[in-house]
Every structure is written in C-alpha cells, then in structure tokens.
Amino acid sequence: MAQAQQTGQRLLAYVSGRGGGVPPIWANLAAQTQASRARDALQGNGRVAVGTPDWRVGDNSAAMQASLTPRDGAARRLRVDMVWREQRWLVTGLALEQAP
C-alpha cells in the first residue's frame, strides 16, 4: 500500500504542477501523455489544491481517485489505474473529469 501511495503522490505532484520533471512512473507512453494533458488542463503552476486520495489496492492492480482544484478553476476528479510490475507500481492510465 505504501508503495502505491508513493507512486500516487509523485503523480499528483506532477499533475498539479508541483513536480519538476516527468517522474518515471509510467507503464506506457499513453499514460504519460494522459498525465501531461491533465497537467496542461489544470494550468495550476503549483497552485492546485489536492484532496485526500481514495485507494483500492489489490495484489497486482491499484486504483486511486482524488479531487484537484486549481486556484482559479472548477474542481476536477483525477482517476488513476496502476499495475504492479518490475517490483513497483506503474501508472497504466488516468482520466481528469469534472467533479460531481
């Protein structure tokens, strides 16, 4: 669980604009591209409020969702899927949606 949360925190830092470079947490190029698009859509430049993530963790897969609210924007929900591979959690896909 702690390793999944660490990957999730790295992803949230990147998407919210707090992370420096692109972290090496991707299972595929599509997931990295989705994260870059989410980061661009938020345009937070480090000023995005991040809610407490909700987790579902199994033996080989995990899912996380968290609210993200840019200082000058509407709240969004980030949904993330991960897989356990190569002795670490890797992001397989994510989606940034309007919060309900």
Side-chain angles (χ1 to χ4, degrees):
M1 179 76 175
Q3 289 176 318
Q5 289 175 329
Q6 183 180 31
T7 298
Q9 290 302 320
R10 292 179 79 183
L11 173 65
L12 290 170
Y14 174 71
V15 171
S16 66
R18 291 186 185 106
V22 180
I25 58 173
W26 318 109
N28 53 57
L29 182 58
Q32 182 178 340
T33 301
Q34 291 166 340
S36 295
R37 288 183 184 150
R39 181 181 169 127
D40 292 345
L42 288 168
Q43 298 178 355
N45 298 321
R47 297 186 188 126
V48 176
V50 178
T52 303
D54 292 322
W55 285 94
R56 288 188 330 267
V57 179
D59 291 338
N60 296 313
S61 64
M64 177 191 79
Q65 58 180 320
S67 64
L68 300 171
T69 308
R71 177 184 262 181
D72 299 325
R76 307 276 184 93
R77 180 181 325 183
L78 182 69
R79 295 181 185 263
V80 181
D81 294 313
M82 298 182 200
V83 65
W84 178 255
R85 187 168 58 204
E86 301 169 8
Q87 301 301 308
R88 61 188 178 138
W89 288 103
L90 298 171
V91 176
T92 58
L94 59 97
L96 185 63
E97 308 166 342
Q98 295 296 326

